[in-house]
Amino acid sequence: MRKKLLGLTVAAMALIAGAVHAEDKKVTIGVSIPAADHGWTSGVVYHAERVAKLLMERNPGLNVIVKTSPDPASQANAVQDLETQGIDALVILPTDPDPLVNAIKEVKGKGTFVALVDRAPSTNDNSVRDLYVAGNNFALGQTAGEYIKTTTPNAEVVVIRGMAIPIDQERQDGFDKGIEGSGIKILDRQYGNWNRDDAFKVMQDYLTKYPKIDVVWTQDDDMAVGVLQAIEQAGRTDIQYVVAGAGSKDMIKKVMDGDKMIPVDVLYPPAMIGTALEMTAANFYSQVPVRGVYTIDATLVTKDNAEDFYFPDSPF
């Protein structure tokens, strides 16, 4: 029995020593993300830096280098610069994915672990990345549509879309699926370019054209800011509520506070960059399988769960 206990003690000490050794293992992760040119990308930068700091505190041998870029050309240069610094992994949220494919493939071709976040190129397979982390655009629209269908099944609704790119269409398709079988009438759909000023102008147009609007679906929290400003400026009281999406701190706070105009929000969190960073670090330190596709749910944020998604120090 004494020999058995001694053997177990030695084995346990070996495991602890292995864990300590794993934490001290020298690993460099490069993070390439868009510059903070609007609310959502501001959140991406915040969460990238926040999680990088946490991971380096947890793993003394880890070095995380975060670089921001305003456009694909400068991001390609940033990726090359990270490569020259001897990175073991690249976590990248592309400004525009297709123009960056060659730069990403060059890094991956040298045996570097690549985690791609959110914006996928036309060919999104293991020739480009080891891990893909993204939100669920179809579900974002579907979740919003189902909430409106349940809450106001015969509502007259105006829609402010994002931009004419694939993820916008995925969201729109999901929304249409969500309201199927209801008495909801779509009065109009126009693009707001995921921009609060453009959304403000679109909403002003809607308010002029339609004497009665029950609900607004905007896809995006930034656009919802413009929508609310237009409604308030016009003094309209017929609009019952606005449904947006992303999970900005201002919208989450409105949900927490029971604001009748923002009763819910749909999650498409910029914190997904942190998820990708955590999983990439786990590839080196936890020896667990992380390769593949990780899709983040489009959670409906309500007053009951809003506190779980509130980051008061985030710029978004």
Side-chain angles (χ1 to χ4, degrees):
M1 176 63 76
R2 189 165 180 268
K3 286 184 179 179
K4 281 186 179 180
L5 288 172
L6 180 61
L8 287 170
T9 302
V10 171
M13 288 176 69
L15 284 171
I16 292 168
V20 171
H21 177 72
E23 288 176 357
D24 290 339
K25 180 180 178 182
K26 300 295 184 185
V27 174
T28 300
I29 300 175
V31 181
S32 177
I33 52 180
D37 57 4
H38 68 283
W40 195 82
T41 51
S42 296
V44 169
V45 174
Y46 168 79
H47 287 291
E49 293 174 345
R50 178 182 67 84
V51 175
K53 181 181 178 182
L54 289 172
L55 287 171
M56 287 189 286
E57 289 172 353
R58 188 187 308 160
N59 305 288
L62 176 63
N63 182 32
V64 181
I65 306 165
V66 179
K67 284 184 171 289
T68 63
S69 307
D71 54 62
S74 60
Q75 192 169 20
N77 291 334
V79 169
Q80 289 176 347
D81 182 57
L82 288 168
E83 186 182 2
T84 63
Q85 296 186 56
I87 57 173
D88 300 290
L90 172 67
V91 177
I92 180 166
L93 196 163
T95 49
D96 189 358
D98 284 328
L100 286 159
V101 164
N102 289 337
I104 297 169
K105 281 187 172 182
E106 183 179 333
V107 172
K108 190 175 187 303
K110 295 181 178 179
T112 304
F113 182 94
V114 173
L116 181 65
V117 185
D118 187 40
R119 300 170 186 173
S122 301
T123 301
N124 180 21
D125 58 24
N126 58 14
S127 70
V128 181
R129 47 74 184 164
D130 298 284
L131 171 67
Y132 178 54
V133 176
N136 190 328
N137 286 288
F138 185 90
L140 183 147
Q142 186 174 13
T143 299
E146 288 174 348
Y147 176 81
I148 296 170
K149 176 181 176 178
T150 301
T151 309
T152 46
N154 297 300
E156 295 186 332
V157 178
V158 292
V159 174
I160 303 183
R161 301 182 60 164
M163 300 173 70
I165 60 175
I167 63 171
D168 169 86
Q169 189 59 54
E170 290 173 19
R171 294 177 180 188
Q172 188 61 59
D173 290 345
F175 181 79
D176 291 342
K177 179 70 174 176
I179 63 172
E180 269 185 7
S182 71
I184 289 170
K185 179 182 179 182
I186 304 299
L187 299 173
D188 212 333
R189 307 176 197 253
Q190 293 184 33
Y191 291 102
N193 303 311
W194 290 317
N195 178 281
R196 64 182 61 184
D197 294 331
D198 291 349
F200 175 81
K201 293 172 185 174
V202 172
M203 193 63 205
Q204 281 187 318
D205 179 54
Y206 286 165
L207 292 168
T208 301
K209 288 169 65 176
Y210 304 106
K212 180 178 179 295
I213 299 170
D214 294 312
V215 178
V216 184
W217 178 54
T218 71
Q219 275 200 13
D220 175 82
D221 288 348
D222 272 342
M223 293 198 296
V225 174
V227 167
L228 292 171
Q229 288 174 344
I231 293 169
E232 182 178 5
Q233 189 177 97
R236 289 280 291 267
T237 58
D238 51 304
I239 293 114
Q240 297 179 40
Y241 59 91
V242 176
V243 179
S248 73
K249 67 176 182 182
D250 290 341
M251 292 300 150
I252 297 295
K253 187 65 166 62
K254 287 179 182 293
V255 174
M256 287 172 63
D257 292 344
D259 189 320
K260 72 179 185 65
M261 289 299 290
I262 304 289
V264 297
D265 199 40
V266 184
L267 208 61
Y268 195 88
M272 68 176 69
I273 190 72
T275 304
L277 251 174
E278 288 270 10
M279 295 179 75
T280 300
N283 178 69
F284 295 96
Y285 290 103
S286 300
Q287 296 180 327
V288 295
V290 299
R291 286 169 169 80
V293 176
Y294 185 88
T295 304
I296 296 169
D297 285 345
T299 304
L300 184 69
V301 180
T302 68
K303 192 173 182 180
D304 292 335
N305 65 3
E307 192 172 350
D308 296 339
F309 307 105
Y310 184 54
F311 295 94
D313 296 329
S314 171
F316 176 72

